[in-house]
Amino acid sequence: MQKKDFRTLVDQYSAQVLDTAVRILGDAQKAQDVHQEVFLAIWRRWHKYNGQTNWDAYLYRTTVRKAIQFNKRLRNEQHLEQQWEHSFSKENPDEPLRTAEIQQKLALCLARLPKRQADIFVLSRIEGLKHEAIAKMLGCSENTVRVHLHRAMKQLAQQLSGYLG
Amino acid sequence: MSEHKKVNELLIDFALGELSPLAEDDVKKHLAECHQCNNKLNQLKALLECTENVKQLSADAQMHKSAKEKIFATIDSRETKEPTYRPNISRLGSRRVSLEFRRIIMKSRITKLAAAAVIIIAVIAAINQFGGSGTSAVYAAVVEQLHNARTMTYSIVTQTNIESIPTVRVEMAFKEPGYMRITTIDGYITVIDWAQNKGISIWPSRQQFLDFEASNYQHDPAQDPFVVIENLRALPYEADEILGEKEIDSRVLQGFRVTKDDMISTVWIDPQMEQLVRVEMKYTNAPGMNTIMTDFQFNVELDDLLFSLIPPEGYTRLEVQADVSQVTEQDLIEYLRSWSSWTKDGTFPPTFNLVALPKVAMEMEKQGNFGEGETSSQQRQADAMQMYRGIMFVAQLPAQSNWRYAGENVKYGDADIPIFWYQPDGSETYRVIYGDLSVKELTADRLPK
């Protein structure tokens, strides 16, 4: 496959990748960084793809993982821990948080979840995919999807309880 | 189970609207009287409401445009990174040779004859590590880490069950787009730049270096290896078997097994850190031999100087130019002839299996099967080159050539015994090499069974 094929892939899936990253990260700059990482990783291995790749599934999976890892990486650099603490200390506890703030807190919580729970939560509740599609995408059973989704929801609801509603 | 506990377990499904009407009524009844469950339900509903809001978000048109442009600008500025030709050595890798090979050979007379070639082969030894197809999130995360690595370093320890063969430890380093550096514990360094198809081996103790070139390999994207890092990157997202947990060096690791051809790879991962810790490889056709890879580091800064092909000042050259695009059947014949001259009984190599060969060579050496005597350095270089070219000829034969080696225990001069045959690309007949190293063309039905 040639460069023009790669350009076609970017043209076709750029919006999906960027929008998914925006929804997970709540930060345009970070989302663009993830977008770049996703496509350049594919570009580096472009000669390996044989035309059989299910790009829809592959890009969903990769984008979700990279976006979550993006936050995790920052957290590992301790920067995010401070951000976490800062982010979770409301100046005015009675003032409801804006969607963007809640979204960023959600992103931080997702980075703390076990990988599969986080992936499944995003694919199900943020990307709106059916259990069947997620199971197929991640190579597991629908029941596994259900179990991980439940665990993720339980964790996230607890962690965000002071800031939602 | 108490009613409270039962309802508690159903709350998520209730919030998601996934309960049957009957179960939903039970939950509603309990909620009417349970403050705790009501609180939990409210938390869940708030979370779902939050995600519904997030679901509506998307990047604006300007962001979309600039993100795309950024990608295109990046790839345009990295013309050279577009899928490049890399030496097709995966076939050789699939019949991988142990790093031990160099050591064994260095101790024998063959070693002296073949030192240069063997150094190159030792490099090739590191080429093929993984392959195969179970499932695990942790495992997949590590695979992804491998896929995204720009640089990678790790250690390889090769062991055999042969007492006299020392354990060898080698440090590996890789850097994109195609640099590889191998350092043995006793100071041998080999650097390969796959973009240039050039490499250098450096012997600090002898103040010598060997530079080598292998150009114009036949391009086969399906098998393009980019040596070890690409093979590591070729790890499937799903392992064949999940082994469970085991404590190694005070760390609780999760094990995964991947099997391909004759190689069984066991991958040990720290599940908390999603970190690749250890890889163990065993070979079904070389019992007792195993390779252990540890100390993995990804994306560490590696200075370009580590991958320089310029020899240290004052070192003298031992040159091998190996344009393997031009290796021919005659190179194989000459290699077979050379080997038969090294053995006391004039027999050909017992095997072309590069994993088994080191062990076999060692055993032959122990049994005194190789002749004694010194040769000139010039002759050693020539023989080393011949050995390398002969092995490369076979290594480059495609699988559809149906090549087969049957030279074990056959002596040079056994004119009636076919020792090697293959079907050249596009040919309807096979080329058959006999024990006297003559060659005939035969149809498939006349080949030895």
Side-chain angles (χ1 to χ4, degrees), chain A residues 77-142:
Chain A
E77 289 164 8
Q78 295 186 336
H79 170 75
L80 215 61
E81 286 298 340
Q82 293 162 10
Q83 193 182 331
W84 170 274
E85 297 306 329
H86 174 72
S87 174
F88 274 66
S89 57
K90 287 197 284 187
E91 281 177 17
N92 181 358
D94 298 326
E95 187 187 319
L97 291 169
R98 289 176 291 120
T99 304
E101 290 171 315
I102 294 172
Q103 188 193 7
Q104 286 184 21
K105 293 184 193 330
L106 179 62
L108 295 172
C109 291
L110 283 169
R112 291 185 158 191
L113 282 183
K115 176 184 171 293
R116 184 143 288 202
Q117 283 184 31
D119 289 358
I120 287 175
F121 179 83
V122 170
L123 290 169
S124 171
R125 303 318 308 170
I126 295 179
E127 294 304 308
L129 301 181
K130 304 273 185 216
H131 287 9
E132 187 188 356
I134 299 169
K136 206 169 173 186
M137 196 179 282
L138 301 180
C140 59
S141 70
E142 286 186 49

Side-chain angles (χ1 to χ4, degrees), chain B residues 48-269:
Chain B
L48 292 174
E49 191 184 334
C50 165
T51 56
E52 281 306 311
N53 289 334
V54 168
K55 206 185 274 184
Q56 309 308 318
L57 297 172
S58 61
D60 60 34
Q62 184 54 41
M63 269 179 75
H64 280 298
K65 188 165 175 263
S66 71
K68 261 206 301 197
E69 284 171 355
K70 214 169 155 188
I71 296 289
F72 293 146
T74 306
I75 64 166
D76 286 342
S77 68
R78 295 184 189 177
E79 269 314 315
T80 53
K81 295 194 85 175
E82 182 167 12
T84 50
Y85 276 3
R86 291 181 185 130
N88 184 5
I89 44 185
S90 58
R91 294 186 190 111
L92 183 55
S94 68
R95 298 181 283 279
R96 66 200 71 70
V97 59
S98 165
L99 289 168
E100 198 62 54
F101 195 18
R102 181 177 61 76
R103 281 293 189 89
I104 298 163
I105 300 268
M106 291 298 276
K107 289 186 170 187
S108 70
R109 179 166 173 268
I110 294 178
T111 311
K112 292 171 185 166
L113 293 169
V118 170
I119 288 296
I120 298 165
I121 293 165
V123 170
I124 295 161
I127 291 165
N128 203 332
Q129 312 291 337
F130 294 103
S133 74
T135 179
S136 164
V138 181
Y139 177 80
V142 167
V143 171
E144 190 161 296
Q145 198 177 24
L146 288 164
H147 285 183
N148 296 332
R150 289 175 284 104
T151 70
M152 182 163 75
T153 62
Y154 60 86
S155 305
I156 297 181
V157 173
T158 305
Q159 301 168 318
T160 71
N161 59 356
I162 302 170
E163 197 181 324
S164 56
I165 299 181
T167 295
V168 173
R169 185 185 173 99
V170 178
E171 306 295 332
M172 310 288 292
F174 300 90
K175 185 172 184 175
E176 286 205 326
Y179 303 111
M180 178 169 80
R181 177 188 170 99
I182 304 171
T183 311
T184 67
I185 201 134
D186 46 358
Y188 291 98
I189 299 163
T190 297
V191 175
I192 298 180
D193 177 348
W194 290 116
Q196 295 187 58
N197 285 333
K198 285 182 176 171
I200 184 168
S201 285
I202 298 166
W203 290 264
S205 61
R206 289 159 56 180
Q207 300 259 298
Q208 278 189 317
F209 68 93
L210 165 78
D211 50 11
F212 51 92
E213 187 172 337
S215 56
N216 306 325
Y217 284 82
Q218 183 189 358
H219 185 225
D220 182 353
Q223 296 197 48
D224 184 352
F226 182 22
V227 289
V228 179
I229 193 163
E230 284 295 294
N231 285 292
L232 283 167
R233 285 172 171 180
L235 269 173
Y237 273 96
E238 294 180 348
D240 294 322
E241 191 181 350
I242 297 173
L243 304 175
E245 290 185 340
K246 182 178 169 183
E247 191 173 323
I248 299 175
D249 296 336
S250 307
R251 295 171 80 171
V252 178
L253 305 177
Q254 207 165 352
F256 303 87
R257 186 160 289 153
V258 181
T259 304
K260 190 178 183 191
D261 301 329
D262 65 323
M263 187 168 62
I264 303 165
S265 303
T266 307
V267 181
W268 294 100
I269 292 167

Side-chain angles (χ1 to χ4, degrees), chain A residues 3 19 23 32 66 146 150, chain B residues 13 57 59 66 79 148:
Chain A
K3 189 190 269 190
D19 288 345
R23 287 191 282 270
Q32 279 211 4
K66 279 193 188 295
R146 190 176 165 275
H150 279 212
Chain B
D13 282 333
L57 297 172
S66 71
E79 269 314 315
N148 296 332

